[in-house]
Amino acid sequence: MGDYVRWSPPYVEGAEDSARSAYYLALNRGKRSIRLNLKEGARGARCCSSSAREYDVLLESFRPGVLDRLGVGLTNGCVRRTPGSCTARSAGTGRTGPYRDRSGHDMNYLGLVGLLGLTGEARTGPPVQAAGQIADVGGGALMAAFGILAAAARA
């Protein structure tokens, strides 16, 4: 099924069913993507490792240790990078600290910082989710992109 943003309305007429969401298309213009089932074992690990050597940037956005448990982590040597390539790690709740093992979602971050308390009807109703992913895109993805660009400039 992939990223839920792929199939969230509103839809773009004429777009492929697997990626017809206007929001998904706006965030991913010009990108190509593949899905791997890393729980398949050796087959998924081989495909991940060979794909990682083909590209200049590898972005890991799982909780710390997940890729290692799946057998394709950077620390266990399965994924070998080429000289001049860049690896970026982005974990929503950080790689260290008390929340490092928690999964992260935009709504969690907005709640933790108190932003959800500013949405919805004042003191009478539940919070309202933002139309876009404020923390995911504006915080995590943007900072990862800056880091990747800085590393690429040094290469």
Side-chain angles (χ1 to χ4, degrees), residues 57-115:
V57 176
L58 175 68
L59 174 63
E60 175 194 349
S61 60
F62 293 106
R63 288 172 296 192
V66 168
L67 285 184
D68 289 330
R69 282 196 307 277
L70 291 170
V72 294
L74 298 169
T75 57
N76 66 14
C78 179
V79 174
R80 302 209 190 285
R81 304 296 290 136
T82 57
S85 66
C86 168
T87 300
R89 291 176 149 175
S90 176
T93 51
R95 302 202 64 75
T96 61
Y99 296 150
R100 74 179 296 274
D101 293 323
R102 292 185 182 184
S103 59
H105 305 282
D106 197 72
M107 191 72 116
N108 303 110
Y109 312 136
L110 299 182
L112 281 170
V113 301
L115 192 61

